[in-house]
Amino acid sequence: MHTPEILPSVLACDLARLSEEVSALGPDVRTLHFDVMDGRYVPNISFGQPVMRSLRAVWQHDIDVHLMIVDPARYASEFVAAGATSVAFHPEVEDEPLALLRRLRAEGVRVGVGVRPEHPLESVAPFLSEIDVLLLMTVSPGFAGQAFLTEVLPKVTEAYERRTEDGLAYRIQVDGGVTADTIVDAAAAGADWFVAGTSVFAAEDRAGAASALRDAAAGAMRTG
Ligand code: DX5
Ligand code: ZN
């Protein structure tokens, strides 16, 4: 239903060379993934609006913002203003998730909710008809470079089947530990939007790594 897309995660790049890092991704990459961490929702702090504005100045295509912060409603619109094209947040730390989804959509971005590895799909059931992106964490949120949690794969399949049953069209995004090997399993389970940090930015040929991941996903993607 969706064509597979690789979203390099800038958390895994050399931030001192942000501009060169993203310009080395090649023409196949249309969307960057931007992880915002507050040291409260996750045990790590990454970067925020100032870095987002710097990135926007050197990147003409889409930027997918992943808010790993408590009280996302307080800051989400600032990332829209800074140039996000999609914004996902974790609804269990938001008092009024539906209102936030609708507000962000009205501001002109695609919207998503994130699900931690240990949380069931059911925890986001009320939002499935309101979102463009279902972000399924395949590592414990907080750090790049962790191993893909294969126990999340049944949830990917459940999301895929439920999307068909409900006649919905959200992208199924997997985030964390995506490599040339794990992307095959994720695609076969039903994912179509693939965040890849370390497996793109640790490669010498970043554009080649992203293209190889995309081809591996395309070859394995579930279609029926
Ligand atoms: C983890 C972040 C991921 C991370 C992915 O909390 O949400 O987006 O940057 O990095 P890799 O691909 O290295 O696991
Ligand atoms: Zn992320």
Side-chain angles (χ1 to χ4, degrees), residues 46-107:
S46 59
F47 34 62
Q49 306 91 315
V51 176
M52 174 84 192
R53 284 191 287 273
S54 297
L55 179 62
R56 183 75 280 174
V58 297
W59 178 257
Q60 286 71 45
H61 307 298
D62 288 356
I63 304 177
D64 174 51
V65 170
H66 178 191
L67 296 176
M68 284 165 278
I69 64 175
V70 298
D71 195 11
R74 181 163 169 197
Y75 296 105
S77 297
E78 295 187 28
F79 287 92
V80 177
T85 50
S86 52
V87 176
F89 61 90
H90 289 266
E92 73 274 23
V93 285
E94 170 51 47
D95 289 340
E96 298 192 62
L98 270 178
L100 180 55
L101 287 169
R102 289 171 183 167
R103 186 180 99 200
L104 290 169
R105 186 184 290 289
E107 290 173 2

Side-chain angles (χ1 to χ4, degrees), residues 98 102 105 124-132 166 168 170:
L98 270 178
R102 289 171 183 167
R105 186 184 290 289
V124 293
F127 314 122
L128 293 177
S129 62
E130 301 271 343
I131 57 172
D132 304 292
D166 295 349
L168 296 171
Y170 50 81

Side-chain angles (χ1 to χ4, degrees), residues 136-155:
L136 300 178
M137 295 294 313
T138 43
V139 295
S140 182
F143 300 90
Q146 303 179 73
F148 185 91
L149 296 170
T150 53
E151 58 265 38
V152 179
L153 290 170
K155 187 162 54 184

